[in-house]
Coordinates of all heavy atoms in Angstrom, one line a residue:
S11 N 120.6 -260.7 -36.7 CA 121.9 -260.5 -37.1 C 122.8 -260.0 -36.0 O 124.0 -260.4 -35.9 CB 122.0 -259.5 -38.3 OG 121.3 -260.0 -39.4
K12 N 122.3 -259.1 -35.2 CA 123.0 -258.6 -34.0 C 123.3 -259.7 -33.0 O 124.4 -259.9 -32.5 CB 122.3 -257.4 -33.4 CG 122.9 -256.9 -32.1 CD 124.1 -256.0 -32.5 CE 124.5 -255.2 -31.2 NZ 125.3 -254.1 -31.6
L13 N 122.3 -260.5 -32.8 CA 122.5 -261.7 -31.9 C 123.5 -262.6 -32.4 O 124.4 -263.1 -31.6 CB 121.1 -262.4 -31.7 CG 121.2 -263.6 -30.8 CD1 121.6 -263.3 -29.3 CD2 119.8 -264.3 -30.8
R14 N 123.5 -262.9 -33.7 CA 124.5 -263.8 -34.3 C 125.9 -263.2 -34.1 O 126.8 -264.0 -33.9 CB 124.1 -264.0 -35.7 CG 125.0 -265.0 -36.4 CD 124.5 -265.4 -37.8 NE 124.2 -264.3 -38.7 CZ 123.6 -264.5 -39.8 NH1 123.2 -265.7 -40.3 NH2 123.4 -263.5 -40.6
A15 N 126.0 -261.9 -34.3 CA 127.3 -261.3 -34.1 C 127.9 -261.4 -32.7 O 129.1 -261.4 -32.5 CB 127.2 -259.9 -34.6
L16 N 127.0 -261.4 -31.7 CA 127.4 -261.4 -30.3 C 127.7 -262.8 -29.8 O 128.4 -263.0 -28.9 CB 126.3 -260.8 -29.5 CG 126.1 -259.3 -29.6 CD1 124.9 -258.8 -28.9 CD2 127.3 -258.5 -29.2
L17 N 127.1 -263.8 -30.4 CA 127.2 -265.2 -29.9 C 128.3 -265.9 -30.7 O 128.5 -265.7 -31.9 CB 125.9 -265.9 -30.0 CG 124.8 -265.4 -29.1 CD1 123.5 -266.2 -29.4 CD2 125.2 -265.4 -27.7
S18 N 128.9 -266.9 -30.1 CA 129.9 -267.7 -30.8 C 129.3 -268.7 -31.6 O 129.9 -269.2 -32.6 CB 130.9 -268.3 -29.8 OG 130.2 -269.1 -28.9
N19 N 128.1 -269.2 -31.3 CA 127.4 -270.2 -32.1 C 126.6 -269.6 -33.2 O 126.2 -268.4 -33.1 CB 126.5 -271.1 -31.2 CG 125.5 -270.3 -30.5 OD1 125.6 -269.2 -30.2 ND2 124.4 -271.0 -30.1
Q20 N 126.4 -270.3 -34.3 CA 125.7 -269.8 -35.4 C 124.2 -269.8 -35.1 O 123.6 -270.7 -34.6 CB 125.9 -270.6 -36.6 CG 127.2 -270.3 -37.4 CD 127.1 -268.8 -37.9 OE1 126.1 -268.4 -38.4 NE2 128.2 -268.1 -37.9
I21 N 123.5 -268.7 -35.6 CA 122.1 -268.6 -35.6 C 121.6 -268.8 -37.0 O 121.8 -267.9 -37.8 CB 121.6 -267.3 -35.0 CG1 122.2 -267.0 -33.6 CG2 120.1 -267.2 -35.0 CD1 121.6 -268.0 -32.5
R22 N 121.1 -270.0 -37.3 CA 120.7 -270.2 -38.7 C 119.2 -270.4 -38.8 O 118.6 -270.1 -39.8 CB 121.3 -271.5 -39.2 CG 122.8 -271.4 -39.4 CD 123.4 -272.7 -40.0 NE 124.8 -272.7 -40.0 CZ 125.6 -273.3 -39.2 NH1 125.0 -274.1 -38.2 NH2 126.9 -273.2 -39.2
R23 N 118.6 -270.8 -37.7 CA 117.1 -271.0 -37.7 C 116.6 -270.4 -36.4 O 117.0 -270.8 -35.3 CB 116.8 -272.5 -37.7 CG 117.2 -273.1 -39.1 CD 117.0 -274.7 -39.1 NE 115.6 -275.1 -38.9 CZ 114.7 -275.2 -39.8 NH1 115.0 -274.8 -41.0 NH2 113.5 -275.6 -39.5
V24 N 115.6 -269.6 -36.5 CA 115.0 -268.9 -35.3 C 113.5 -269.3 -35.4 O 112.8 -269.2 -36.4 CB 115.1 -267.4 -35.4 CG1 114.4 -266.7 -34.2 CG2 116.6 -267.0 -35.4
G25 N 113.0 -269.7 -34.2 CA 111.6 -270.1 -34.1 C 110.8 -269.0 -33.5 O 111.2 -268.2 -32.7
T26 N 109.5 -268.9 -33.9 CA 108.6 -267.9 -33.4 C 107.2 -268.6 -33.3 O 106.9 -269.4 -34.1 CB 108.6 -266.6 -34.1 OG1 107.8 -265.6 -33.4 CG2 107.9 -266.8 -35.5
I27 N 106.4 -268.1 -32.4 CA 105.0 -268.5 -32.2 C 104.1 -267.3 -32.5 O 104.4 -266.2 -32.0 CB 104.8 -269.1 -30.8 CG1 105.7 -270.3 -30.6 CG2 103.3 -269.4 -30.6 CD1 105.8 -270.8 -29.2
H28 N 103.1 -267.5 -33.3 CA 102.2 -266.4 -33.6 C 100.8 -266.9 -33.6 O 100.5 -268.1 -33.8 CB 102.6 -265.8 -34.9 CG 102.5 -266.7 -36.1 ND1 101.3 -266.9 -36.8 CD2 103.4 -267.4 -36.7 CE1 101.6 -267.7 -37.7 NE2 102.8 -268.1 -37.7
R29 N 99.9 -265.9 -33.4 CA 98.5 -266.2 -33.6 C 98.1 -265.9 -35.0 O 98.8 -265.3 -35.8 CB 97.7 -265.2 -32.6 CG 98.0 -265.5 -31.2 CD 97.2 -264.7 -30.2 NE 97.4 -263.2 -30.4 CZ 96.5 -262.3 -30.6 NH1 95.2 -262.7 -30.6 NH2 96.8 -261.1 -30.7
P30 N 96.9 -266.4 -35.4 CA 96.5 -266.2 -36.9 C 96.6 -264.8 -37.4 O 97.0 -264.6 -38.5 CB 95.0 -266.7 -36.9 CG 95.0 -267.7 -35.7 CD 95.9 -267.1 -34.7
G31 N 96.3 -263.8 -36.6 CA 96.3 -262.4 -37.0 C 97.7 -261.9 -37.3 O 97.9 -260.9 -37.9
F32 N 98.7 -262.6 -36.8 CA 100.1 -262.2 -37.0 C 100.8 -263.0 -38.1 O 102.0 -262.9 -38.3 CB 100.9 -262.4 -35.7 CG 100.5 -261.3 -34.7 CD1 99.3 -261.4 -33.9 CD2 101.4 -260.2 -34.4 CE1 99.0 -260.4 -33.0 CE2 101.1 -259.3 -33.5 CZ 99.9 -259.3 -32.8
A33 N 100.1 -263.9 -38.8 CA 100.7 -264.7 -39.8 C 101.4 -263.9 -40.9 O 102.5 -264.2 -41.3 CB 99.7 -265.7 -40.4

Side-chain angles (χ1 to χ4, degrees):
S11 296
K12 178 76 170 200
L13 177 63
R14 182 167 56 187
L16 292 171
L17 297 178
S18 59
N19 59 337
Q20 276 296 323
I21 303 292
R22 292 185 189 101
R23 295 174 59 83
V24 177
T26 191
I27 297 168
H28 62 84
R29 296 182 301 128
F32 286 76

